[in-house]
Structures are given as C-alpha cells and as structure tokens.
Amino acid sequence: MRQAFRASILHCLADPGEASISSAVEFFDDGLLVVEDGKVLDAGDATTLLAHSHDLAVTEYPGKIIVPGFVDCHVHFPQLDIIASYGEQLLDWLNRYAYPAEMRFADKTHAEEVAAVFLDELLKNGTTTALVFGTVHAHSADAILAAAQARGMRLIAGKVMMDINCPTELRDDPVSAYTDSRALIERWHGTDRLGYAITPRFALTSSEEQLAAAGRLAGEYPDVWIHTHLAENKAEVEQIARQFPGSRSYLDVYDRFELLRARSVFAHSLHLDEEDRQCMSAKGGAVAFCPTSNLFLGSGLFDLRAMRAAGVRCGLGTDVGGGTSLSMLRTAGEAYKVLHLQDQAMPATRALYLATLGAAQVLYLDDKIGNFAAGKEADFVVLDPAGSTLSERRCSVAASAEESLFALTMLADDRHIAATYVAGEVYVSK
Ligand code: GUN
Ligand code: ZN
C-alpha cells in the first residue's frame, strides 16, 4: 500500500553544526513524502514526484512542515506524575519526589496505566522513539514495552538496577538484577521494534557486585543498550569520588565495569574532562543532552562544542520528571538557551538534528530512523506553525521554514503537532 504526504519537508543528512548547511539539510518547500509498507520510498519535490507516479493517495497538509519523528534519548516514564516538583537539586529531589513516585510502581496495574498515558503523551508531542527508564520492578519494563508494542513504536527500555544508597523498597540485588534483566532481554529485545537497555540507575546506587553483574550481562548481549546517568550534579560527582577512590573519574567507574561501549547512553555528562570525552568517543559511548532537566535541577550547562569536538555522539533527551517538558521542540528551545550562555550557536536545523538523526546515531539506529532516506521506517511528524494564535502571527512573518522552526522551538507545545505517524500509520491526528 503506497501513500503520499504533501507539505514542506525538512530533514537532516548530517550535523548542520559540522557539515555545510547545503549538504547537511534537505528542504522541499512543496514536498512529497512517499511511504510504502511503513517505510520511506521517496522524499522530494511534490511536482516532480507526482509527475512520475500515478495512483498515489495523497494526504495534503498545506502550510505545515513534515519532519522525522522525534527521538528522546533519555526519559523516565515512572516520573510522569512528578514533573515540575519544586525546589531541590538532584540527590534531595530523588529522595523527596522520584523515589516515592517509583515506589508506587510495585503495583503492576499502576505501571500499566502510567505507561499507556506516557506513550500517548510522547506521540502527542511528536516523539516516536525513546530510550526509557523503568523502575526497579521488572513489570515496569514489561508495561512500557508492551504499551510501545501495541502502538507499533520503536522503543528501548529497561528495568532499573539499584541495590544500595536508596530506599529498601526500591532495592534489588546483584543476582536478581542480573536474572530479571536477562529474562527481560530474552522476552523483548529484538521483538517487533523493541529493544532492551541494561539500566543501572547510576553508580551511586549500585554495589560493585551489581555493576560487575551489569557488565557481565552486557558482555553476553553485545547488541543490547546500556542506559545510565553520568556526572549530572556536583554533589553526586563528589560522592562518586568517595565511593570509588580507585577510579580516575566518574566515567572511569563505568568503564572499569565494562559498561562503556557502543550502545551505552549516558544522560547529562556535564562534569567531564577532556580525557573522559576522548575515552567516551573512542569507545563509542553516547550522551543525552537534557537541557530542561539541567536547568530545572540546577545541575549545570552542557558543553556541546567540546563534546562534538571530541567526536562524541550527542542527542537531546527530555529527562522527565527532572526535565520539565515531553516536547522535543521545547527541549530544543532550552538547549538553544543553554548553549547561548556559553557563546555556542544552535541554529534550528542543528536542533532538529539533535532531536532526530543525531539522536538516532546516539542509539545506533540511524540505519532505521532519523531522516527520510529511502528504506527507513516512516516515523514522521506534521508540524503546524499555526498551532497557537501567537505562533501563527510569528510564523506568518517568517522568511523561511527554518525561521518558523526556530520560533516553534520557543513557542510550541502539543498543539503544534498536527499529526504523528508511526511506521506510516497515523497515531495522533486533529
Ligand atoms: N540520577 C539518578 N537517578 C536519576 C533520576 O531519576 N533523574 C535524574 N535526572 N538523574 C538521576
Ligand atoms: Zn534521568
């Protein structure tokens, strides 16, 4: 079954911050995206493509912009209900808000209810793929992966491993963390569009035995993801140095336990030195830049220039509930401000890259998603510049689609997502 979608089309072929803009970004003012069996067949100028193909069912989106589905490189579904909780930095925020919320996930029904609402919120915001933290409970991973399967989404998730320095109700142990994660890998990894991530919360809440078990499991499943937090908060970094006096740095702790490799994704990574960045790059690890969280929790400013100069893969993450929005557009807007404070430029096309192709590269999924290259999975978003009266006024005087996209990174919310398509199927439409 062949379908086509007509609107402006914008997607990235490379990082516009590094390649020349003409080779990094492709734009069709009157574009056509042709989809067959859930995959991209072609993307190009509508008049040209329509002249060569007949019998195409064309869905028209006049005045709108089609971009690839957004990829959220780091988010916690169990923290949906504590988004925007007042007043603390990381370690106090975990104790006061995150851990109590996660304790409620001992109830499987609660986990299933939140998973469904969470994924519907992602899709409403144009996010079609995410790397997701569960809770310590194995059924939290079942809940989110089953909900993603029901929606046809490409999604990666894992049960959290944590056995020290946290409430006793949320502790597993090295053996159960290993066996539960292994069973989840066997059940879910590679099923439909789903993947599994071995998920030690952070080095602070795992014993050395547990980190070793996580590393052993990673060795047994080389194409499984590894997902954790790194160097987010100064007090956290100091505590890590006390807990692991034999390690050169926070990253070195993960490296020593064989948790740094291709498909390892480290949220935040704010307080690193050049040796860490070089090591991350050489070993194929990747980083989730979570600006709304870093500002909200008072954690620090992400140094994108240094990270990319070292060759580290970078993508955007919302980090809800430490982050304050599930919208990748809003997240891109905050990334712009974080970089602006450090004299680093972030044109809208680069923001789009970090939310799509760059994020797909973080997840080593850029052969499947991230842009409209022929053969990729047809996950895409129809952006509506007129989603609010204010954005409509602003975008009506924009000289280019890039200018409208930039305005949307500052002004947009889920009203600006006219439709989200998952493998060619419309999910949210209004
Ligand atoms: N570090 C360890 N756990 C968490 C968490 O839940 N959120 C954030 N932002 N950082 C963490
Ligand atoms: Zn997080």
Side-chain angles (χ1 to χ4, degrees):
M1 162 66 168
R2 193 174 288 188
Q3 308 158 269
F5 303 88
R6 187 171 191 170
S8 294
I9 294 178
L10 182 62
H11 70 144
C12 295
L13 307 174
D15 180 353
E18 287 162 7
S20 84
I21 188 85
S22 60
S23 64
V25 178
E26 203 167 42
F27 176 67
F28 303 101
D29 188 29
D30 177 19
L32 197 74
L33 179 66
V34 187
V35 172
E36 189 171 53
D37 297 330
K39 300 245 170 84
V40 174
L41 199 62
D42 211 345
D45 176 66
T47 316
T48 314
L49 288 177
L50 287 169
H52 294 116
S53 33
H54 306 282
D55 317 326
L56 266 182
V58 181
T59 305
E60 311 258 352
Y61 286 113
K64 306 208 173 24
I65 308 168
I66 292 180
V67 297
F70 298 129
V71 178
D72 185 340
C73 291
H74 176 70
V75 62
H76 301 248
F77 92 89
Q79 296 177 5
L80 188 68
D81 294 343
I82 51 139
I83 188 170
S85 293
Y86 176 80
E88 310 289 357
Q89 288 215 354
L90 175 66
L91 300 176
D92 294 322
W93 176 87
L94 286 172
N95 286 317
R96 184 160 170 203
Y97 301 114
Y99 293 154
E102 293 184 22
M103 283 179 205
R104 295 185 62 198
F105 281 67
D107 175 0
K108 184 165 171 275
T109 309
H110 177 66
E112 288 167 353
E113 190 264 334
V114 177
V117 173
F118 172 82
L119 290 186
D120 287 341
E121 285 295 321
L122 284 196
L123 290 167
K124 267 192 233 172
N125 282 287
T127 299
T128 50
T129 286
L131 175 60
V132 186
F133 256 68
T135 61
V136 73
H137 315 96
H139 60 236
S140 72
D142 287 321
I144 192 73
L145 289 163
Q149 186 176 40
R151 288 160 181 76
M153 295 173 75
R154 182 164 285 290
L155 190 121
I156 306 161
K159 157 214 138 55
V160 170
M161 299 175 157
M162 51 201 284
D163 66 343
I164 56 169
N165 295 331
C166 62
T168 48
E169 300 94 312
L170 287 178
R171 289 184 195 188
D172 54 10
D173 59 64
V175 173
S176 71
Y178 174 90
T179 52
D180 286 355
S181 301
R182 194 174 207 283
L184 287 163
I185 291 169
E186 291 291 333
R187 189 171 317 143
W188 292 109
H189 186 69
T191 302
D192 295 339
R193 302 181 74 198
L194 308 172
Y196 192 82
I198 298 166
T199 310
R201 179 171 212 115
F202 58 159
L204 218 57
T205 49
S206 284
S207 63
E208 302 216 359
E209 294 71 26
Q210 182 167 77
L211 290 171
R216 199 161 69 249
L217 191 58
E220 287 161 10
Y221 292 95
D223 68 339
V224 155
W225 284 267
I226 297 166
H227 187 196
T228 189
H229 296 93
L230 171 67
E232 174 178 9
N233 171 282
K234 290 245 168 76
E236 168 207 14
V237 173
E238 284 163 16
Q239 221 165 299
I240 289 288
R242 285 194 294 275
Q243 194 167 315
F244 299 92
S247 288
R248 193 200 72 81
S249 68
Y250 195 159
L251 182 62
D252 185 49
V253 175
Y254 293 126
D255 194 18
R256 275 202 302 131
F257 288 101
E258 314 273 349
L259 293 166
L260 169 57
R261 66 166 194 204
R263 295 183 180 232
S264 298
V265 180
F266 299 91
H268 311 301
S269 306
L270 301 181
H271 310 289
L272 302 188
D273 62 16
E274 187 54 24
E275 194 171 335
D276 288 327
R277 285 188 288 268
Q278 293 297 336
C279 179
M280 177 86 83
S281 172
K283 300 219 164 173
V287 162
F289 171 17
C290 307
T292 75
S293 170
N294 297 160
L295 295 172
F296 183 71
L297 295 176
S299 303
L301 302 178
F302 182 80
D303 190 344
L304 181 67
R305 182 164 49 205
M307 209 63 92
R308 293 297 286 165
V312 176
R313 294 164 185 249
C314 298
L316 287 173
T318 62
D319 193 31
V320 163
T324 52
S325 173
L326 284 175
S327 164
M328 292 294 283
L329 290 168
R330 275 287 167 98
T331 303
E334 296 305 285
Y336 171 87
K337 297 173 194 171
V338 163
L339 296 172
H340 212 14
L341 273 170
Q342 303 173 90
D343 288 325
Q344 299 185 30
M346 168 96 131
T349 49
R350 193 173 209 198
L352 180 67
Y353 167 79
L354 292 175
T356 57
L357 183 62
Q361 288 166 344
V362 162
L363 300 177
Y364 287 77
L365 286 175
D366 48 306
D367 58 331
K368 297 188 170 62
I369 55 171
N371 64 15
F372 298 135
K376 289 205 187 178
E377 296 163 353
D379 292 343
F380 60 97
V381 187
V382 184
L383 300 179
D384 183 6
S388 65
T389 49
L390 180 58
S391 68
E392 183 172 21
R393 286 185 71 88
R394 175 62 187 88
C395 293
S396 72
V397 296
S400 65
E402 181 178 351
E403 188 178 329
S404 290
L405 180 64
F406 180 72
L408 289 180
T409 68
M410 297 299 154
L411 302 173
D413 53 38
D414 53 15
R415 291 170 298 173
H416 298 80
I417 307 298
T420 301
Y421 286 79
V422 177
E425 299 278 328
V426 68
Y427 194 77
V428 180
S429 192
K430 63 180 181 193

